[in-house]
Amino acid sequence: MSNLKKIKDEFLLKLEKKLSLSEINEIKSNLFGKNGLISSEFKKIGSIVENERKKFASDLNLIKDELQNLINFKIDEIQTEEINKKLEKEKVDITLPERTFIRGKIHPVSQTIDEISSIFSEIGFSVEEGPDVENEYNNFTALNTPDNHPARDMHDTFYLDEKKEKLLRTHTSPVQIRTMLKDKPPFKIIAPGRTYRSDSDQTHSPMFHQVEGLHIDKDINMGHLKGCLNYFIKEFFEVKKIRMRFRPSHFPFTEPSAEVDIGYEIKDGKIVIGEGDKWLEILGCGMVHPNVLKNVKVDPAKFQGYAFGIGIDRLAMLKYGINDLRAFFDCDYRWLNHYGFDPLDVPTNYRGLSR
Ligand code: PHE
């Protein structure tokens, strides 16, 4: 019996059995793979004596086609069987009513964070993040606020363990430490995020948002700080002029320190920013204390700069005329629907959008 016939008979026999997909694929590669039996026969064609060559090639092609067709047929069969099994199991109930489409809204705080990030990124700040659960070193000690420092009490800290080693960060300033520890100066970053203090009334919530700013380089001074904040406030409130005042203050991690108020007035029951004789405190800032720089291995003789911490919720309230801070975090959909922002500019004739 010729070799070709042997291969054919052997494999026809094999393919008669009930086979799994992987078994069939194995047969396929035994025959038609790079060194498969059929592939090897094809390689022999050139060395066959001329008067037998034609017949050999035509026999080989016939066998190849026969086996290949059978294999393809078997694969098809298995796949159809699998689909049928699936269809049996997964019935689609086309009588079910359609699901209603609810369009979400962007929360004013998220919108405000986006706006703040884009304004600062235009003037060269990049965005950093840090965790809500901090260690006391990053939140206090590294920021020149040692144990027993009165500022620790002022913060009404939520501690997470009895040893007071883990806490919910009371401000975004620990991101200053994290950033400076992982890189080398210069630094020019902002860090928006959640912060926590045990405090609650119309203008305070136990969870609130801040954005930290840090700019450290050779020759950065308080003038840069004032210029940067002035630019930011005007861009944020979209006004040409803003009344701003720097009040001397104290933070352990800055020297000198200041708090910044912006002028506003109430006109026809609405807050107007930048005019009037009322002042609203919106941020704390100052020149980064040399001790803080030393703690993160930055040489204060070579590098210095400013830091600030802005209350994001306050800014959002002022810009969008929202007068109770607590509503921000009540998760009331009616409120969010009113004060939230459209994620997309979807055409108004789009079906099923409104609630
Ligand atoms: N971390 C301060 C606060 O929460 C704000 C601040 C940040 C002040 C950076 C100075 C520099 O009140």
Side-chain angles (χ1 to χ4, degrees):
M1 194 167 33
S2 79
N3 198 28
L4 287 187
K5 180 131 176 33
K6 246 169 53 196
I7 298 177
K8 178 178 151 180
D9 290 347
E10 182 189 335
F11 278 87
L12 284 181
L13 204 69
K14 279 193 182 171
L15 284 164
E16 258 177 26
K17 292 195 208 120
K18 184 147 179 67
L19 299 166
S20 70
L21 197 57
S22 65
E23 285 167 328
I24 296 184
N25 279 328
E26 198 183 317
I27 292 179
K28 194 172 169 184
S29 90
N30 285 342
L31 287 169
F32 305 110
K34 205 155 153 256
N35 295 317
L37 292 171
I38 297 285
S39 317
S40 310
E41 293 298 321
F42 270 100
K43 285 181 203 148
K44 289 184 195 159
I45 292 179
S47 57
I48 284 177
V49 284
E50 208 179 332
N51 56 357
E52 287 176 19
R53 194 182 296 157
K54 211 170 158 193
K55 175 159 183 344
F56 178 83
S58 108
D59 285 352
L60 180 56
N61 269 317
L62 282 175
I63 291 178
K64 184 197 97 183
D65 287 345
E66 189 175 350
L67 289 171
Q68 218 162 36
N69 287 341
L70 188 58
I71 286 174
N72 289 343
F73 176 79
K74 287 264 174 186
I75 291 178
D76 257 9
E77 208 175 43
I78 292 181
Q79 282 171 344
T80 315
E81 203 176 309
E82 270 173 18
I83 291 174
N84 284 339
K85 266 196 208 147
K86 247 193 172 167
L87 283 177
E88 283 272 303
K89 270 198 267 161
E90 300 170 14
K91 282 204 184 103
V92 178
D93 182 355
I94 55 165
T95 64
L96 265 182
E98 73 191 77
R99 297 222 171 103
T100 48
F101 183 97
I102 298 170
R103 180 177 50 174
K105 290 271 182 121
I106 306 271
H107 194 285
V109 171
S110 307
Q111 170 79 16
T112 305
I113 291 177
D114 283 352
E115 289 173 19
I116 294 173
S117 305
S118 94
I119 295 169
F120 278 110
S121 62
E122 274 165 21
I123 51 171
F125 285 81
S126 55
V127 178
E128 285 286 337
E129 278 184 334
D132 294 11
V133 174
E134 255 302 356
N135 54 54
E136 75 80 39
Y137 181 78
N138 287 344
N139 196 82
F140 289 125
T141 310
L143 287 161
N144 200 32
T145 318
D147 258 348
N148 308 323
H149 194 288
R152 290 206 181 195
D153 299 335
M154 264 160 50
H155 277 200
D156 300 317
T157 311
F158 287 114
Y159 285 99
L160 299 175
D161 59 351
E162 285 187 4
K163 285 197 203 144
K164 296 193 167 178
E165 280 167 359
K166 283 212 170 351
L167 45 81
L168 292 175
R169 64 177 178 188
T170 57
H171 50 181
T172 41
S173 302
V175 188
Q176 288 186 34
I177 302 300
R178 286 178 176 273
T179 306
M180 293 195 283
L181 280 177
K182 75 170 191 225
D183 265 322
K184 295 225 163 341
F187 302 104
K188 198 172 181 188
I189 59 115
I190 58 160
R194 283 186 285 268
T195 45
Y196 305 82
R197 289 180 205 175
S198 177
D199 205 352
S200 184
D201 59 36
Q202 196 178 343
T203 54
H204 294 93
S205 127
M207 190 280 294
F208 57 105
H209 296 82
Q210 286 191 338
V211 57
E212 194 76 10
L214 175 73
H215 187 184
I216 303 284
D217 208 333
K218 298 173 179 162
D219 306 322
I220 296 293
N221 61 44
M222 195 110 181
H224 294 112
L225 168 65
K226 291 181 87 168
C228 167
L229 290 175
N230 195 275
Y231 172 80
F232 165 70
I233 299 289
K234 282 194 297 202
E235 287 291 308
F236 181 78
F237 287 108
E238 297 166 36
V239 291
K240 286 217 170 61
K241 263 172 74 184
I242 190 93
R243 270 161 41 89
M244 234 174 133
R245 73 176 178 196
F246 282 67
R247 258 183 305 106
S249 182
H250 173 78
F251 299 102
F253 33 91
T254 45
E255 182 60 37
S257 305
E259 276 169 314
V260 173
D261 302 333
I262 53 174
Y264 74 100
E265 66 178 341
I266 309 262
K267 252 192 202 160
D268 307 324
K270 281 208 167 134
I271 302 176
V272 183
I273 299 292
E275 297 169 26
D277 54 3
K278 292 192 169 57
W279 294 102
L280 197 97
E281 181 196 322
I282 53 158
L283 66 93
C285 61
M287 299 305 290
V288 176
H289 197 292
N291 287 351
V292 175
L293 296 175
K294 282 182 205 152
N295 288 339
V296 294
K297 312 271 176 299
V298 171
D299 181 357
K302 289 195 187 129
F303 288 97
Q304 70 264 204
Y306 59 80
F308 55 81
I310 308 176
I312 294 179
D313 313 286
R314 286 257 173 104
L315 289 191
M317 287 169 77
L318 282 175
K319 184 161 176 180
Y320 298 113
I322 300 164
N323 46 29
D324 189 341
L325 174 71
R326 287 166 299 192
F328 271 138
F329 312 122
D330 276 350
C331 294
D332 181 337
Y333 278 117
R334 291 162 305 176
W335 182 90
L336 188 57
N337 229 11
H338 180 78
Y339 286 107
F341 293 83
D342 277 332
L344 302 162
D345 257 343
V346 186
T348 46
N349 60 359
Y350 188 80
R351 260 188 78 236
L353 276 180
S354 53
R355 271 163 55 90

